[in-house]
Amino acid sequence: MVAPPILARVFRGSRLESVHRGSVAVVDQDGSVVASAGSRREGIYLRSAAKPFQAMALLDAGGDKAFRLGSDEIALLCASHGGEPRHVRVAARLLSRGGFTVEDLACGAHLPMHEPSARALIAAGKTPTALHNNCSGKHAGLLLACRLRGFEPETYWKPEHPIQGVVLERLSAFASILPARIGTAVDGCSLPVFYMPLEALALGYARLIARRGTREGADETVPERICRAMWESPGMVAGKDRFTTEFLEAGRKRWIGKEGAEGVYSIGIAAGGKHGRSLGIAFKLEDGSSRARDAVALNILAQLDRLPASSEASLSRHLAPTVTNARGFDVGRIVADVPLRNL
Amino acid sequence: MVAPPILARVFRGSRLESVHRGSVAVVDQDGSVVASAGSRREGIYLRSAAKPFQAMALLDAGGDKAFRLGSDEIALLCASHGGEPRHVRVAARLLSRGGFTVEDLACGAHLPMHEPSARALIAAGKTPTALHNNCSGKHAGLLLACRLRGFEPETYWKPEHPIQGVVLERLSAFASILPARIGTAVDGCSLPVFYMPLEALALGYARLIARRGTREGADETVPERICRAMWESPGMVAGKDRFTTEFLEAGRKRWIGKEGAEGVYSIGIAAGGKHGRSLGIAFKLEDGSSRARDAVALNILAQLDRLPASSEASLSRHLAPTVTNARGFDVGRIVADVPLRNL
């Protein structure tokens, strides 16, 4: 196995301390490769980058109208949220629309990823529930989808449950890969996690933002509704102090982005400008870390000439993050420099 | 730059999800290379793997007797502790022996690394102090060293302070590298952090456990006292649920081990058995992560035929750690397989 290239370097003082390697795939909405680094055909687990497609199990069945979902609710379906009070509220609201409760969630509990929310919970003498799990919106959406489609909801999280077949079909259509060629394992939230080539994930995001990939007879507004929800409620997709939220705020109508665990990130860029094609970007840091992820995402966008100066300014703290220590001293920095080919 | 080899693989289900690369140096007490992987000459920041040598600034001046230090105190000098109540108590006791208080510590505050201790602190409505910083023992030791040596203690943490010169000289003697060839930057706790070839760190640990490297006229019992403290008070060196503590418990009189941030680990193995030489091992995971560190350490020991079956049994949960999810399901595992050369 050839080592993938270094995508980001971590400096302490003037010297290199650590590096992050990885692979990148950039394709257009037709699947043509626009650029790559490392192995674009490398198989990866999508982790939470699959959430917009998992949300389709509900939206494709008309869940939007049936459960009166606003952008907050739809954005939370696609979220790896911080477990802030607002996220917990919307997750509970989603559940209640289908007559479900927190007991029906199979995601398990963990402390809010948003640290101040975690501290507030502990300080109040409370323990986290499944609503605080960053995947609670996705899980609530699958429960609602079961209600709407007449599936028994108890085992919605098992790979053999019919709702998982619906998810697989949607992912397959957007990523343009046969369901039989999509591998599965168990995700952090106990749902099936999907495995496919990096470039297939990139294509899924290109087609999502291009509103392609919908099957015959499907509601063609679903991909658009998902993108609109992410732009209208970016705080629901991630949360306070999170890159994805600021990235969505900066890229309204221009791009969507979603992180996955283990160093995965995926971006859809809307057609426009001199390029005239929708693009999908997917990358994975081979060590599974996240600290260089945001800088790598922005570096790729800049190299593709798709990062306007105004966005570069508003996202500047993510471009070359500083490394600080316990006293807040600036002791180093993370520098992304992705060796893209085929530009 | 040639990529270092994969030292550990992270599987989810049956498929590879992430990998950790790195370099390894194994040398004997005379500096002869016993085995290596990747680049043993690679420059690395030692981070907390330097702590036993930093502790010598106090012990070499007779701090042991002057401040009536027991094994708990000496072990804490070398610690990246969990900020458990016992660690906070011993750190405060160290300070009080020299008439210092928490206000004199320059390490900064962070929440205890030991999560239950962090939660207990938050639940009690308290904020962490510098005593909870994992480096508080090291800092307290340097303050005591200043007192004993007649240095003004206020700026003990600055690179130009004379106590830092003492530390540098000790590290230089054990690692057998000229002070001028040891680079520095700022560590997470604001002290100088040292930069040198990986194999020099390995040699430092080989000589530490072999009780070599002491300069003319120095108290020759200091290296032995440090090792003994780590064996007698392993819980002070790291803490509950920490590999280093269990590793020290399992290796009493056989080995010492100490982690550093950014994927660093260093081990000294006492002479004995058919090998008859003291060995030093140092490795760094290039991505700076720690999740595979313990498994990599044990894999190297096993390959060197220095991991007895009894230790393998007591440390079994660190050999091939399972990856669990929010519901506690076993969803994957970390497998270390270090391609050592020159065995």
Side-chain angles (χ1 to χ4, degrees), chain A residues 57-58 61-63 66-67 94-101 104 139-154 156 161-163:
Chain A
L58 172 61
F67 296 111
L94 274 170
L95 287 172
S96 70
R97 296 272 166 90
F100 296 107
T101 72
D104 297 303
H139 279 251
L142 291 174
L143 283 167
L144 293 180
C146 289
R147 193 69 94 212
L148 204 55
R149 292 170 183 267
F151 300 152
E152 65 78 18
E154 285 72 24
Y156 75 94
H161 190 281
I163 199 66

mmCIF file of all heavy atoms in Angstrom, chain A residues 57-58 61-63 66-67 94-101 104 139-154 156 161-163:
data_model
loop_
_atom_site.group_PDB
_atom_site.id
_atom_site.type_symbol
_atom_site.label_atom_id
_atom_site.label_comp_id
_atom_site.label_asym_id
_atom_site.label_seq_id
_atom_site.Cartn_x
_atom_site.Cartn_y
_atom_site.Cartn_z
ATOM 1 N N ALA A 57 -34.686 9.032 3.557
ATOM 2 C CA ALA A 57 -35.644 7.960 3.853
ATOM 3 C C ALA A 57 -36.951 8.554 4.360
ATOM 4 O O ALA A 57 -38.037 8.037 4.087
ATOM 5 C CB ALA A 57 -35.057 7.007 4.893
ATOM 6 N N LEU A 58 -36.859 9.661 5.072
ATOM 7 C CA LEU A 58 -38.059 10.353 5.563
ATOM 8 C C LEU A 58 -38.591 11.335 4.524
ATOM 9 O O LEU A 58 -39.796 11.356 4.227
ATOM 10 C CB LEU A 58 -37.721 11.090 6.867
ATOM 11 C CG LEU A 58 -38.809 12.020 7.432
ATOM 12 C CD1 LEU A 58 -40.085 11.244 7.764
ATOM 13 C CD2 LEU A 58 -38.307 12.743 8.687
ATOM 14 N N ALA A 61 -40.480 10.175 1.332
ATOM 15 C CA ALA A 61 -41.826 9.638 1.561
ATOM 16 C C ALA A 61 -42.819 10.752 1.894
ATOM 17 O O ALA A 61 -43.963 10.480 2.264
ATOM 18 C CB ALA A 61 -41.787 8.610 2.698
ATOM 19 N N GLY A 62 -42.362 11.999 1.800
ATOM 20 C CA GLY A 62 -43.252 13.122 2.090
ATOM 21 C C GLY A 62 -43.280 13.518 3.555
ATOM 22 O O GLY A 62 -44.202 14.194 4.021
ATOM 23 N N GLY A 63 -42.257 13.121 4.285
ATOM 24 C CA GLY A 63 -42.189 13.410 5.714
ATOM 25 C C GLY A 63 -42.191 14.902 6.024
ATOM 26 O O GLY A 63 -42.653 15.338 7.087
ATOM 27 N N ALA A 66 -45.906 15.705 5.988
ATOM 28 C CA ALA A 66 -46.642 14.859 6.939
ATOM 29 C C ALA A 66 -46.368 15.255 8.385
ATOM 30 O O ALA A 66 -47.264 15.209 9.230
ATOM 31 C CB ALA A 66 -46.276 13.391 6.710
ATOM 32 N N PHE A 67 -45.124 15.655 8.664
ATOM 33 C CA PHE A 67 -44.763 15.988 10.049
ATOM 34 C C PHE A 67 -44.461 17.474 10.228
ATOM 35 O O PHE A 67 -43.864 17.874 11.209
ATOM 36 C CB PHE A 67 -43.574 15.128 10.492
ATOM 37 C CG PHE A 67 -43.881 13.658 10.546
ATOM 38 C CD1 PHE A 67 -43.299 12.776 9.641
ATOM 39 C CD2 PHE A 67 -44.763 13.156 11.490
ATOM 40 C CE1 PHE A 67 -43.583 11.422 9.684
ATOM 41 C CE2 PHE A 67 -45.051 11.795 11.544
ATOM 42 C CZ PHE A 67 -44.464 10.919 10.630
ATOM 43 N N LEU A 94 -38.985 16.462 17.006
ATOM 44 C CA LEU A 94 -39.073 15.496 15.904
ATOM 45 C C LEU A 94 -39.725 14.198 16.390
ATOM 46 O O LEU A 94 -40.657 13.678 15.765
ATOM 47 C CB LEU A 94 -37.674 15.174 15.355
ATOM 48 C CG LEU A 94 -37.080 16.092 14.288
ATOM 49 C CD1 LEU A 94 -35.616 15.750 14.064
ATOM 50 C CD2 LEU A 94 -37.849 15.982 12.968
ATOM 51 N N LEU A 95 -39.240 13.692 17.502
ATOM 52 C CA LEU A 95 -39.776 12.442 18.046
ATOM 53 C C LEU A 95 -41.269 12.565 18.323
ATOM 54 O O LEU A 95 -42.070 11.686 17.959
ATOM 55 C CB LEU A 95 -39.046 12.067 19.345
ATOM 56 C CG LEU A 95 -37.613 11.552 19.218
ATOM 57 C CD1 LEU A 95 -36.974 11.417 20.592
ATOM 58 C CD2 LEU A 95 -37.562 10.217 18.474
ATOM 59 N N SER A 96 -41.638 13.695 18.939
ATOM 60 C CA SER A 96 -43.040 13.863 19.350
ATOM 61 C C SER A 96 -43.983 13.919 18.150
ATOM 62 O O SER A 96 -45.136 13.502 18.242
ATOM 63 C CB SER A 96 -43.199 15.125 20.205
ATOM 64 O OG SER A 96 -43.026 16.283 19.387
ATOM 65 N N ARG A 97 -43.474 14.385 17.013
ATOM 66 C CA ARG A 97 -44.321 14.466 15.813
ATOM 67 C C ARG A 97 -44.796 13.082 15.361
ATOM 68 O O ARG A 97 -45.796 12.957 14.661
ATOM 69 C CB ARG A 97 -43.550 15.128 14.658
ATOM 70 C CG ARG A 97 -43.165 16.577 14.912
ATOM 71 C CD ARG A 97 -44.237 17.552 14.490
ATOM 72 N NE ARG A 97 -43.984 18.882 15.054
ATOM 73 C CZ ARG A 97 -43.250 19.835 14.439
ATOM 74 N NH1 ARG A 97 -42.734 19.615 13.264
ATOM 75 N NH2 ARG A 97 -43.074 21.010 15.023
ATOM 76 N N GLY A 98 -44.054 12.061 15.747
ATOM 77 C CA GLY A 98 -44.446 10.703 15.361
ATOM 78 C C GLY A 98 -44.925 9.886 16.555
ATOM 79 O O GLY A 98 -45.085 8.669 16.448
ATOM 80 N N GLY A 99 -45.119 10.568 17.681
ATOM 81 C CA GLY A 99 -45.562 9.849 18.873
ATOM 82 C C GLY A 99 -44.460 9.034 19.528
ATOM 83 O O GLY A 99 -44.723 8.103 20.289
ATOM 84 N N PHE A 100 -43.219 9.397 19.241
ATOM 85 C CA PHE A 100 -42.089 8.684 19.840
ATOM 86 C C PHE A 100 -41.532 9.452 21.044
ATOM 87 O O PHE A 100 -41.823 10.641 21.223
ATOM 88 C CB PHE A 100 -40.963 8.498 18.811
ATOM 89 C CG PHE A 100 -41.336 7.624 17.645
ATOM 90 C CD1 PHE A 100 -41.572 8.181 16.387
ATOM 91 C CD2 PHE A 100 -41.461 6.245 17.796
ATOM 92 C CE1 PHE A 100 -41.905 7.380 15.300
ATOM 93 C CE2 PHE A 100 -41.793 5.433 16.716
ATOM 94 C CZ PHE A 100 -42.024 6.003 15.468
ATOM 95 N N THR A 101 -40.717 8.749 21.827
ATOM 96 C CA THR A 101 -40.018 9.401 22.943
ATOM 97 C C THR A 101 -38.538 9.027 22.877
ATOM 98 O O THR A 101 -38.126 8.201 22.054
ATOM 99 C CB THR A 101 -40.569 8.949 24.317
ATOM 100 O OG1 THR A 101 -40.137 7.594 24.547
ATOM 101 C CG2 THR A 101 -42.088 9.021 24.362
ATOM 102 N N ASP A 104 -37.298 5.502 22.445
ATOM 103 C CA ASP A 104 -37.312 4.813 21.148
ATOM 104 C C ASP A 104 -35.999 4.964 20.377
ATOM 105 O O ASP A 104 -35.780 4.267 19.389
ATOM 106 C CB ASP A 104 -38.473 5.336 20.289
ATOM 107 C CG ASP A 104 -39.822 5.045 20.933
ATOM 108 O OD1 ASP A 104 -40.093 3.856 21.189
ATOM 109 O OD2 ASP A 104 -40.587 5.997 21.204
ATOM 110 N N HIS A 139 -31.562 9.683 13.888
ATOM 111 C CA HIS A 139 -32.337 8.556 14.413
ATOM 112 C C HIS A 139 -33.823 8.896 14.498
ATOM 113 O O HIS A 139 -34.675 8.076 14.144
ATOM 114 C CB HIS A 139 -31.801 8.144 15.786
ATOM 115 C CG HIS A 139 -30.588 7.274 15.706
ATOM 116 N ND1 HIS A 139 -30.606 5.937 16.024
ATOM 117 C CD2 HIS A 139 -29.321 7.547 15.309
ATOM 118 C CE1 HIS A 139 -29.397 5.430 15.841
ATOM 119 N NE2 HIS A 139 -28.594 6.391 15.419
ATOM 120 N N ALA A 140 -34.132 10.103 14.964
ATOM 121 C CA ALA A 140 -35.540 10.513 15.048
ATOM 122 C C ALA A 140 -36.166 10.499 13.655
ATOM 123 O O ALA A 140 -37.316 10.079 13.477
ATOM 124 C CB ALA A 140 -35.636 11.910 15.679
ATOM 125 N N GLY A 141 -35.399 10.937 12.672
ATOM 126 C CA GLY A 141 -35.898 10.953 11.300
ATOM 127 C C GLY A 141 -36.214 9.559 10.787
ATOM 128 O O GLY A 141 -37.221 9.350 10.091
ATOM 129 N N LEU A 142 -35.374 8.604 11.138
ATOM 130 C CA LEU A 142 -35.624 7.229 10.682
ATOM 131 C C LEU A 142 -36.858 6.648 11.369
ATOM 132 O O LEU A 142 -37.622 5.895 10.749
ATOM 133 C CB LEU A 142 -34.387 6.360 10.933
ATOM 134 C CG LEU A 142 -33.177 6.705 10.045
ATOM 135 C CD1 LEU A 142 -31.950 5.892 10.454
ATOM 136 C CD2 LEU A 142 -33.490 6.479 8.560
ATOM 137 N N LEU A 143 -37.062 7.026 12.624
ATOM 138 C CA LEU A 143 -38.282 6.579 13.323
ATOM 139 C C LEU A 143 -39.519 7.147 12.629
ATOM 140 O O LEU A 143 -40.499 6.431 12.381
ATOM 141 C CB LEU A 143 -38.239 7.012 14.800
ATOM 142 C CG LEU A 143 -37.337 6.170 15.713
ATOM 143 C CD1 LEU A 143 -37.117 6.857 17.050
ATOM 144 C CD2 LEU A 143 -37.948 4.769 15.925
ATOM 145 N N LEU A 144 -39.473 8.438 12.296
ATOM 146 C CA LEU A 144 -40.609 9.064 11.598
ATOM 147 C C LEU A 144 -40.825 8.408 10.232
ATOM 148 O O LEU A 144 -41.974 8.208 9.801
ATOM 149 C CB LEU A 144 -40.370 10.565 11.419
ATOM 150 C CG LEU A 144 -40.339 11.426 12.688
ATOM 151 C CD1 LEU A 144 -40.101 12.887 12.328
ATOM 152 C CD2 LEU A 144 -41.625 11.286 13.498
ATOM 153 N N ALA A 145 -39.738 8.080 9.569
ATOM 154 C CA ALA A 145 -39.843 7.434 8.260
ATOM 155 C C ALA A 145 -40.530 6.074 8.389
ATOM 156 O O ALA A 145 -41.344 5.692 7.534
ATOM 157 C CB ALA A 145 -38.458 7.277 7.634
ATOM 158 N N CYS A 146 -40.228 5.361 9.457
ATOM 159 C CA CYS A 146 -40.891 4.068 9.700
ATOM 160 C C CYS A 146 -42.397 4.282 9.887
ATOM 161 O O CYS A 146 -43.218 3.568 9.315
ATOM 162 C CB CYS A 146 -40.316 3.387 10.945
ATOM 163 S SG CYS A 146 -38.648 2.756 10.706
ATOM 164 N N ARG A 147 -42.744 5.283 10.670
ATOM 165 C CA ARG A 147 -44.161 5.600 10.915
ATOM 166 C C ARG A 147 -44.865 5.860 9.591
ATOM 167 O O ARG A 147 -45.935 5.305 9.314
ATOM 168 C CB ARG A 147 -44.239 6.837 11.826
ATOM 169 C CG ARG A 147 -45.589 7.101 12.410
ATOM 170 C CD ARG A 147 -46.009 6.056 13.438
ATOM 171 N NE ARG A 147 -45.699 6.408 14.803
ATOM 172 C CZ ARG A 147 -45.399 5.493 15.738
ATOM 173 N NH1 ARG A 147 -45.346 4.212 15.450
ATOM 174 N NH2 ARG A 147 -45.144 5.880 16.971
ATOM 175 N N LEU A 148 -44.252 6.685 8.783
ATOM 176 C CA LEU A 148 -44.875 7.119 7.536
ATOM 177 C C LEU A 148 -44.983 5.975 6.526
ATOM 178 O O LEU A 148 -45.956 5.894 5.766
ATOM 179 C CB LEU A 148 -44.016 8.240 6.945
ATOM 180 C CG LEU A 148 -44.668 9.243 5.994
ATOM 181 C CD1 LEU A 148 -45.874 9.895 6.639
ATOM 182 C CD2 LEU A 148 -43.639 10.300 5.600
ATOM 183 N N ARG A 149 -43.993 5.115 6.531
ATOM 184 C CA ARG A 149 -43.960 4.041 5.536
ATOM 185 C C ARG A 149 -44.603 2.754 6.037
ATOM 186 O O ARG A 149 -44.627 1.740 5.329
ATOM 187 C CB ARG A 149 -42.496 3.750 5.129
ATOM 188 C CG ARG A 149 -41.842 4.879 4.336
ATOM 189 C CD ARG A 149 -40.342 4.634 4.171
ATOM 190 N NE ARG A 149 -39.666 5.722 3.477
ATOM 191 C CZ ARG A 149 -39.446 5.774 2.159
ATOM 192 N NH1 ARG A 149 -39.884 4.801 1.386
ATOM 193 N NH2 ARG A 149 -38.831 6.797 1.619
ATOM 194 N N GLY A 150 -45.094 2.787 7.282
ATOM 195 C CA GLY A 150 -45.768 1.605 7.807
ATOM 196 C C GLY A 150 -44.837 0.474 8.228
ATOM 197 O O GLY A 150 -45.238 -0.684 8.303
ATOM 198 N N PHE A 151 -43.564 0.824 8.513
ATOM 199 C CA PHE A 151 -42.624 -0.187 9.014
ATOM 200 C C PHE A 151 -42.697 -0.206 10.536
ATOM 201 O O PHE A 151 -42.866 0.844 11.168
ATOM 202 C CB PHE A 151 -41.183 0.151 8.617
ATOM 203 C CG PHE A 151 -40.937 0.236 7.132
ATOM 204 C CD1 PHE A 151 -39.925 1.057 6.644
ATOM 205 C CD2 PHE A 151 -41.697 -0.509 6.220
ATOM 206 C CE1 PHE A 151 -39.666 1.145 5.281
ATOM 207 C CE2 PHE A 151 -41.446 -0.425 4.850
ATOM 208 C CZ PHE A 151 -40.438 0.409 4.378
ATOM 209 N N GLU A 152 -42.536 -1.386 11.133
ATOM 210 C CA GLU A 152 -42.474 -1.417 12.605
ATOM 211 C C GLU A 152 -41.195 -0.677 13.013
ATOM 212 O O GLU A 152 -40.138 -0.894 12.403
ATOM 213 C CB GLU A 152 -42.535 -2.847 13.134
ATOM 214 C CG GLU A 152 -41.367 -3.770 12.773
ATOM 215 C CD GLU A 152 -40.117 -3.538 13.616
ATOM 216 O OE1 GLU A 152 -40.235 -2.921 14.678
ATOM 217 O OE2 GLU A 152 -39.016 -3.960 13.183
ATOM 218 N N PRO A 153 -41.282 0.203 13.996
ATOM 219 C CA PRO A 153 -40.121 1.048 14.290
ATOM 220 C C PRO A 153 -39.106 0.459 15.280
ATOM 221 O O PRO A 153 -37.988 0.958 15.359
ATOM 222 C CB PRO A 153 -40.757 2.303 14.895
ATOM 223 C CG PRO A 153 -42.036 1.830 15.507
ATOM 224 C CD PRO A 153 -42.488 0.612 14.737
ATOM 225 N N GLU A 154 -39.478 -0.609 15.991
ATOM 226 C CA GLU A 154 -38.620 -1.088 17.090
ATOM 227 C C GLU A 154 -37.171 -1.374 16.673
ATOM 228 O O GLU A 154 -36.247 -1.053 17.398
ATOM 229 C CB GLU A 154 -39.208 -2.351 17.751
ATOM 230 C CG GLU A 154 -40.400 -2.091 18.660
ATOM 231 C CD GLU A 154 -41.663 -1.730 17.882
ATOM 232 O OE1 GLU A 154 -41.763 -2.111 16.692
ATOM 233 O OE2 GLU A 154 -42.543 -1.044 18.443
ATOM 234 N N TYR A 156 -35.533 -0.347 13.897
ATOM 235 C CA TYR A 156 -35.163 0.514 12.758
ATOM 236 C C TYR A 156 -33.656 0.578 12.533
ATOM 237 O O TYR A 156 -33.194 0.862 11.431
ATOM 238 C CB TYR A 156 -35.710 1.927 12.974
ATOM 239 C CG TYR A 156 -34.956 2.744 13.991
ATOM 240 C CD1 TYR A 156 -33.925 3.611 13.612
ATOM 241 C CD2 TYR A 156 -35.244 2.647 15.349
ATOM 242 C CE1 TYR A 156 -33.217 4.352 14.552
ATOM 243 C CE2 TYR A 156 -34.556 3.375 16.294
ATOM 244 C CZ TYR A 156 -33.540 4.223 15.886
ATOM 245 O OH TYR A 156 -32.844 4.950 16.817
ATOM 246 N N HIS A 161 -33.474 -4.205 8.665
ATOM 247 C CA HIS A 161 -34.762 -3.499 8.713
ATOM 248 C C HIS A 161 -35.019 -2.811 7.361
ATOM 249 O O HIS A 161 -34.091 -2.254 6.765
ATOM 250 C CB HIS A 161 -34.732 -2.461 9.841
ATOM 251 C CG HIS A 161 -36.076 -1.853 10.122
ATOM 252 N ND1 HIS A 161 -36.622 -0.862 9.335
ATOM 253 C CD2 HIS A 161 -36.990 -2.116 11.097
ATOM 254 C CE1 HIS A 161 -37.818 -0.528 9.822
ATOM 255 N NE2 HIS A 161 -38.057 -1.276 10.893
ATOM 256 N N PRO A 162 -36.294 -2.827 6.897
ATOM 257 C CA PRO A 162 -36.566 -2.250 5.567
ATOM 258 C C PRO A 162 -36.175 -0.777 5.416
ATOM 259 O O PRO A 162 -35.815 -0.354 4.308
ATOM 260 C CB PRO A 162 -38.084 -2.450 5.396
ATOM 261 C CG PRO A 162 -38.618 -2.842 6.738
ATOM 262 C CD PRO A 162 -37.490 -3.471 7.477
ATOM 263 N N ILE A 163 -36.192 -0.017 6.487
ATOM 264 C CA ILE A 163 -35.828 1.409 6.342
ATOM 265 C C ILE A 163 -34.359 1.538 5.943
ATOM 266 O O ILE A 163 -33.976 2.492 5.236
ATOM 267 C CB ILE A 163 -36.133 2.214 7.635
ATOM 268 C CG1 ILE A 163 -36.211 3.703 7.322
ATOM 269 C CG2 ILE A 163 -35.110 1.958 8.731
ATOM 270 C CD1 ILE A 163 -37.362 4.102 6.430
#
